[in-house]
Amino acid sequence: MRNIVLVLVVTSLAFSCQNEENSRAMDWEQQMGKILSDYDNSAVLDYSKIISEDNQEIEFSIFKKNSNGIYKIEGESSFEDVFPLKIVYYVKNDKVIATIFTGLSPYLNKGLKREGQKCCSSFHNIKYFNSETEVVSFKKHLDLMSSEEFESIKKELALIDFVKSKVENSEIEYERTMNTFQELKEKLNF
């Protein structure tokens, strides 16, 4: 009888710890969403800069720091005016705390596109960085027949729920993101 009670106590403690960990993860993710939303509601543009690279122009908008020390940098590009891309970095204490990447991604087809075959994907990817070892990703996308559908499909994409996943090898992802951000800051003379 004691063994059964002991097994029940240990099992309930294990579930309790798991629920507490899930609750903590949800708390920081929800808090991050609120922090970013609050920032966006009061964001003030500091300046813009256009960088030309590989026959492509990218317009960057740098926003002022708020009272919490958060700022953001947005970059928008349009590859041959067909495949628009947008990246947003949210930064606090010189560390990236979130990224948002949206736009169109073409599918690579060998030969000609067959009738009825999708050409590209409209995507919206968000990553929250709680620390160098804790990164969560939210993704959604829609396949398109033509890049011309991009503007009209935005509302439909907004209605789709994000698919959440914990980023494996988060240390590598964080380092890659920080390196890319540092390179961007150098190009912007920021």
Side-chain angles (χ1 to χ4, degrees):
M1 184 66 157
R2 283 184 166 171
N3 289 341
I4 293 172
V5 171
L6 183 61
V7 168
L8 288 173
V9 168
V10 170
T11 304
S12 66
L13 284 174
F15 282 121
S16 173
C17 290
Q18 181 66 32
N19 287 339
E20 187 176 316
E21 185 175 315
N22 288 342
S23 176
R24 187 190 68 77
M26 189 175 291
D27 287 347
W28 81 259
E29 293 163 14
Q30 289 174 343
Q31 185 178 12
M32 181 69 75
K34 182 174 178 357
I35 288 169
L36 300 182
S37 177
D38 289 348
Y39 177 83
D40 284 337
N41 288 335
S42 62
V44 176
L45 180 65
D46 194 7
Y47 65 94
S48 295
K49 184 172 184 176
I50 295 176
I51 295 178
S52 296
E53 198 170 276
D54 299 328
N55 296 325
Q56 183 178 358
E57 287 189 344
I58 305 168
E59 182 176 2
F60 289 96
S61 300
I62 295 84
F63 292 80
K64 292 182 179 183
K65 278 185 186 179
N66 69 4
S67 60
N68 295 323
I70 297 172
Y71 68 93
K72 75 176 176 177
I73 296 177
E74 291 183 358
E76 287 194 66
S77 169
S78 183
F79 181 70
E80 296 180 12
D81 297 326
V82 178
F83 290 102
L85 297 172
K86 180 177 180 180
I87 181 88
V88 180
Y89 289 95
Y90 289 89
V91 182
K92 182 175 184 176
N93 299 329
D94 239 11
K95 303 278 187 191
V96 175
I97 59 171
T99 60
I100 300 174
F101 194 39
T102 59
L104 282 180
S105 178
Y107 292 136
L108 301 177
N109 297 311
K110 293 182 178 181
L112 296 174
K113 179 182 150 207
R114 287 182 238 129
E115 189 174 325
Q117 188 176 12
K118 306 289 184 179
C119 78
C120 50
S121 175
S122 175
F123 64 90
H124 189 148
N125 300 339
I126 301 171
K127 286 186 183 156
Y128 290 165
F129 299 87
N130 191 35
S131 67
E132 294 177 14
T133 59
E134 193 171 13
V135 181
V136 66
S137 175
F138 302 90
K139 297 180 179 182
K140 59 182 171 179
H141 78 277
L142 277 176
D143 295 327
L144 306 177
M145 296 298 289
S146 163
S147 62
E148 295 167 359
E149 294 178 321
F150 180 64
E151 288 301 320
S152 64
I153 208 86
K154 282 183 177 180
K155 288 181 183 174
E156 189 176 336
L157 183 64
L159 297 174
I160 295 174
D161 289 334
F162 282 99
V163 176
K164 176 186 161 188
S165 64
K166 187 172 181 178
V167 175
E168 299 298 322
N169 300 318
S170 56
E171 295 92 351
I172 294 170
E173 179 63 29
Y174 183 78
E175 183 178 342
R176 183 180 314 136
T177 300
M178 284 302 297
N179 288 341
T180 303
F181 178 69
Q182 292 303 330
E183 290 172 12
L184 174 61
K185 280 178 58 175
E186 289 172 16
K187 288 179 183 178
L188 293 172
N189 297 320
F190 184 71

